[in-house]
Amino acid sequence: MQEVRTLYWVGGTEGRLRLIDQTRLPGELVELECRNAETVWEAIRALRVRGAPAIGIAAAYGICLGLQTVAGQDAAAFHARLQEVADYLAESRPTAVNLFWAIRRMTRRARDLRDAGASPIETHQALLAEAQAIEAEDRRMCRAIGRHGAELLPDGAGVLTHCNAGGLATADYGTALAVVYAAVELGKRVHVFVDETRPLLQGARLTAWELRRREIPCTLICDSMAAMVMKQGKVQAVVTGADRIARNGDAANKIGTYGVALAAAAHRIPFYVAAPSSTFDLSLDSGEEIPIELRAAGEVTHCHGRPVAPEGIDVYNPAFDVTPAGLIAALVCERGVLRPVCEARIAEVLETSATS
Amino acid sequence: MQEVRTLYWVGGTEGRLRLIDQTRLPGELVELECRNAETVWEAIRALRVRGAPAIGIAAAYGICLGLQTVAGQDAAAFHARLQEVADYLAESRPTAVNLFWAIRRMTRRARDLRDAGASPIETHQALLAEAQAIEAEDRRMCRAIGRHGAELLPDGAGVLTHCNAGGLATADYGTALAVVYAAVELGKRVHVFVDETRPLLQGARLTAWELRRREIPCTLICDSMAAMVMKQGKVQAVVTGADRIARNGDAANKIGTYGVALAAAAHRIPFYVAAPSSTFDLSLDSGEEIPIELRAAGEVTHCHGRPVAPEGIDVYNPAFDVTPAGLIAALVCERGVLRPVCEARIAEVLETSATS
């Protein structure tokens, strides 16, 4: 299997970020080169890079890019620009908390370095190392998620997933799909039912593409077919990713996840959410506090630039919904399998160490 | 509002069937003229005319067209051809029972006429009158369904519907949408949430188009958004049509309906099915016996002729699913509101008179 890198840095502090333009998959595998923070912002907003962990990594590198013009200036100018770039990138998308987590980690690191008397050039170098550490940690976390989650899948399982929480949503290997990949590596037979995931078809375009590259048996369905496939007994587990998980375990994920979780509950099929600890937002009591991104009507009304609905029709297009903790059989993060899904168990696992 | 006729006959026994080519909506309002049974078969198979009641009417007229070449021949040739055309049209689509109901009604009428000594020319004339009666009855039934169903909707209701069970699915006025239209005519305020209805987008293309023409407030959503909209309290009732209803009340309808019914149940929102009595198939014990049409993968993998999924991906594309009676708050047919939805109540209402 040809190596595919979702996003990676090339060169030193004056280098650049390269990422797969996911809007062009599955038709074309094309890399986009980002040479400034603006290109990164646009890539995140337009979903060229998407998936909560991947946009966190992209934002961290975006900060490095945004500082290239001021690395030779004085500390005041450097840190003012840092704050400007951080605020700017934080505006790219509102729901995935990994974005804010990565930006905060980068700005905190810069502050610590300034307090320790580091020069702008030294700080810029250290921030690139920090972004690379975030990326490397993500790779390790995805493997650990896979290892923990694989035990949840019985041999011969039909696994339904929604959207793309695979290698394309992370630095590598994925979260929900990591569970599948690791189970297959253990020798388990798995068949994946792939929700196409309207409106932007990340399931049809990205998950189906990833699974085929890894030669994992899969069947593409429309989102509306998930309940019927479950009723037919073809699905033994549902695994999705998450974009933000509140302290009580409520999980925001791609629109449609909640409906899948309701259908799974009706058929007594376990519904699992796989995500790194950076996806948890312990500042939020529940999913009701998670901001939900509303996107343009055109994503629903047009396909390949041509209308599929009457002109001027009113459209509601939330990019995410929230699945309540009560519908989630377990959360799988790099530290293990969290169940039952409740505040006490989450606090126990996540607050024992400050970083992964 | 400009008059739109879903399908209608022009001329006498040597006339033709005209119908709106619904595959070209909402972009173009174009009529297709059918001059033989083959064109009708293709129009049904390709969903140029769709909706259980409308395909029943189309098939009845299709029989008249198929007999035009033999109306001057002897009775044996005429009735052999009739059987041939009936069998042929019955192969066009497998799930909607109205198709078989209409074909059976036409062939039974022809047999009665033959037994009474009618000539082929007389029989052909009587069959055209029978097809026109089926169409006229459908118009009356839709109005009656609307009248009965309107009482189920509270003033100010948000109503969610799936696929198109409107005027375009019938001779006129619709079944599920008839309930909305009649409620609005009574002065109730209604806002309709329109599931786009993948893969063929009958909701986005047809229901949204119909509702806008009638100036009924509506919002288009992806199928995967229905559960979230329900959770937000925006929906007070779900109303869909049906393609076949078994004796116990299990109802086959457009794929995705079952998932909508599960979501409605989880939010304690009443889920109603509106359909004429010709949609009931009392020969079937339950929905498990309803044949489900599987359609081509390309409906899912392509949009406007361009791929949205990897080439060669395995696809499961059932056109219908079955909603169990236990999830249906009431069935609305032209004879009234049937509830609870159970075999005894259905038998009581449907077996009291042989025809409507």
Side-chain angles (χ1 to χ4, degrees), chain A residues 42-105:
Chain A
E42 195 277 338
I44 295 172
R45 173 66 67 102
L47 279 58
R48 302 186 197 287
V49 58
R50 25 68 52 205
I55 67 177
I57 299 165
Y61 283 125
I63 286 177
C64 299
L65 289 170
L67 291 171
Q68 287 175 339
T69 54
V70 293
Q73 297 186 17
D74 65 25
F78 180 88
H79 286 278
R81 171 67 181 160
L82 171 65
Q83 196 56 53
E84 183 184 60
V85 174
D87 291 346
Y88 169 69
L89 288 170
E91 291 290 316
S92 57
R93 294 191 75 193
T95 301
V97 77
N98 316 60
L99 175 69
F100 310 107
W101 169 86
I103 291 170
R104 202 164 46 243
R105 179 163 159 178

Side-chain angles (χ1 to χ4, degrees), chain B residues 39-59:
Chain B
T39 334
V40 175
W41 186 94
E42 194 277 339
I44 294 173
R45 173 65 67 101
L47 279 57
R48 302 186 197 288
V49 59
R50 26 68 50 205
I55 68 176
I57 299 165

Side-chain angles (χ1 to χ4, degrees), chain A residues 66-308:
Chain A
L67 291 171
Q68 287 175 339
T69 54
V70 293
Q73 297 186 17
D74 65 25
F78 180 88
H79 286 278
R81 171 67 181 160
L82 171 65
Q83 196 56 53
E84 183 184 60
V85 174
D87 291 346
Y88 169 69
L89 288 170
E91 291 290 316
S92 57
R93 294 191 75 193
T95 301
V97 77
N98 316 60
L99 175 69
F100 310 107
W101 169 86
I103 291 170
R104 202 164 46 243
R105 179 163 159 178
M106 294 291 281
T107 53
R108 193 178 295 147
R109 177 84 178 117
R111 194 175 345 109
D112 291 347
L113 288 159
R114 184 184 56 189
D115 293 349
S119 70
I121 287 174
E122 288 166 338
T123 306
H124 195 203
Q125 281 175 331
L127 287 177
L128 177 58
E130 191 73 13
Q132 287 169 326
I134 290 173
E135 181 194 333
E137 285 167 26
D138 185 73
R139 292 176 190 274
R140 286 198 300 275
M141 287 193 290
C142 288
R143 297 281 163 173
I145 288 169
R147 207 162 49 241
H148 294 305
E151 69 193 48
L152 299 169
L153 301 186
D155 183 38
V159 176
L160 189 139
T161 192
H162 190 75
C163 196
N164 173 267
L168 290 167
T170 57
D172 171 43
Y173 206 64
T175 55
L177 292 189
V179 172
V180 170
Y181 298 153
V184 170
E185 286 162 17
L186 288 177
K188 293 183 181 180
R189 291 160 303 165
V190 177
H191 189 102
V192 182
F193 289 90
V194 180
D195 273 2
E196 63 174 4
T197 316
R198 281 283 291 160
L200 294 178
L201 301 171
Q202 291 93 336
R205 294 190 301 106
L206 309 180
T207 298
W209 181 82
E210 257 196 73
L211 291 169
R212 275 172 68 85
R213 286 190 71 257
R214 291 180 184 259
E215 297 178 354
I216 291 176
C218 61
T219 300
L220 177 64
I221 58 173
C222 296
D223 306 328
S224 63
M225 296 166 190
M228 179 174 181
V229 169
M230 290 181 191
K231 192 182 188 184
Q232 292 171 335
K234 293 175 178 166
V235 176
Q236 281 65 50
V238 178
V239 191
T240 75
D243 292 78
R244 194 184 303 210
I245 303 172
R247 200 166 64 216
N248 71 341
D250 292 354
N253 191 47
K254 180 55 55 196
I255 185 70
T257 304
Y258 173 52
V260 171
L262 288 174
H267 297 94
R268 301 179 187 282
I269 296 166
F271 178 91
Y272 303 116
V273 171
S277 54
S278 55
T279 305
F280 288 78
D281 183 350
L282 302 182
S283 75
L284 303 185
D285 287 343
S286 79
E288 288 183 22
E289 296 171 32
I290 299 175
I292 299 295
E293 176 183 9
L294 295 178
R295 293 185 61 89
E299 292 183 350
V300 176
T301 57
H302 285 66
C303 180
H304 289 318
R306 287 174 55 187
V308 292

Side-chain angles (χ1 to χ4, degrees), chain B residues 37-45 52 55-64 66 81-107 244 291-293 295 320:
Chain B
E38 289 72 20
T39 334
V40 175
W41 186 94
E42 194 277 339
I44 294 173
R45 173 65 67 101
I55 68 176
I57 299 165
Y61 283 126
I63 287 177
C64 299
R81 171 68 181 159
L82 170 66
Q83 197 55 53
E84 182 184 60
V85 175
D87 292 345
Y88 169 69
L89 288 169
E91 292 288 317
S92 57
R93 292 191 76 193
T95 302
V97 76
N98 316 60
L99 175 70
F100 311 106
W101 169 86
I103 291 170
R104 202 164 47 242
R105 179 163 158 178
M106 294 290 281
T107 54
R244 194 185 302 210
I292 299 295
E293 177 182 8
R295 293 185 62 89
F320 302 93

Side-chain angles (χ1 to χ4, degrees), chain B residues 120-133:
Chain B
I121 287 174
E122 289 166 338
T123 306
H124 195 204
Q125 280 174 333
L127 287 177
L128 177 58
E130 191 73 13
Q132 287 169 327

Side-chain angles (χ1 to χ4, degrees), chain B residues 29 45 47 73 81 97 106 128 160 163 181 184 189 212 250 254 259 267 287 293 302 311:
Chain B
L29 180 57
R45 173 65 67 101
L47 279 57
Q73 297 185 16
R81 171 68 181 159
V97 76
M106 294 290 281
L128 177 58
L160 188 140
C163 197
Y181 298 151
V184 169
R189 291 160 302 165
R212 275 174 68 85
D250 292 353
K254 181 54 56 196
H267 297 93
E293 177 182 8
H302 286 65
E311 201 183 322

